[in-house]
Amino acid sequence: MRILGIETSCDETCAAVVEDGRRVLSNVVATQTEIHRKYGGVVPEIASRAHLEALVPVVAEALQQARLDIQAIDAVAVVHRPGLIGSLILGVTAAKTLAWLHDRPLVGLNHVECHIYAACLERGELPFPCVALIVSGGHTSLYLCESPLAQALLGATTDDAAGEAFDKVANLLGLPYPGGPSIDRAAMHGSPAAVRFSRPWLAPESFDFSFSGLKTAVLYHVRGHGADAKKRPTQLSEREVADVAASFQECVVDVLVGKTFRAAEVHGMDRLIVGGGVAANTRLRSRFQDQARAAGIELLLPEMRYCTDNAAMVAGLAYHYVQAGRVSGLDLEAKA
Ligand code: KG4
Ligand code: ZN
């Protein structure tokens, strides 16, 4: 079964074709990073317009790379929540149109569930049951997953998502947009022990996360207590920037690794999935790998191209929805 997936929840226009839930035949991503760079963040209205321009060529490219005609597609899948409403509407409308025109089943999916599934692409056995951590620009969530179709939320962020904290701290440090990869690179030249930011563990048994206090701690560290994030660009030496970036990153990674492994222990799981854009972070990947090896836990980290937003994870997960008869009607709606 070959499924065409479409993903437009934020600032990437994505289309992919995946066979039987695992074999990625094509995976096309048109990124809008350059368009939003001068604003220092994603501008929703501009994102919608860019999706409108990119969607038709991106879908055509995904079919062409898979060497398939649209007639060879068995179902059309799309992320319909959560995300930027204007961006979601474009992907949903494109998917509905294709499904209706070619009389194929339509599958509407949740973006975060797709990020969990990204670790299953191009692999043999499905890794369920397991614990999954999704860390992206919009989410920091820990799940207990029974199957690709069933997951229970163990904890989530109470304020900023991990990726959002990376992006905001990068901005504070004067590092270029997008912030996550900039912090990752800067931190390679700094010491993670240079500044001891206190770890936001919250209550001892809690699986929730909170990174907004850490962001303020970084602000006060670099500009003095009571500073305003909107005022005065930070004047720091390259060395200081690298040290603060590495210390901030270490703090976030400590909490993510600590809570995720504790969740696996509490729930008796020996398999872990880590996904979402922040799962592309070099330090996070190596810390998870080291700890998994030490604890005898099987770690599933998606390849880098499946960590950040893509449609292969959408077309892959949709296969299991179609198999289970969980298809959507043409009344499928985008939900922010
Ligand atoms: O999953 P994703 O592509 O989009 C959302 O669903 O939000 O994640 C984007 C987030 C951004 O906040 C970005 O800064 C972060 O992932 N990110 C990283 C890295 N690459 C992307 N954060 C830390 N280190 C990275 N290497
Ligand atoms: Zn995402």
Side-chain angles (χ1 to χ4, degrees), residues 7 9-10 111-112 115 134 136-139 276-277 307-310 313:
E7 146 66 46
S9 65
C10 189
H111 184 75
V112 189
H115 270 305
I134 299 306
S136 70
H139 302 271
C307 286
T308 42
D309 288 346
N310 67 87
M313 63 186 189

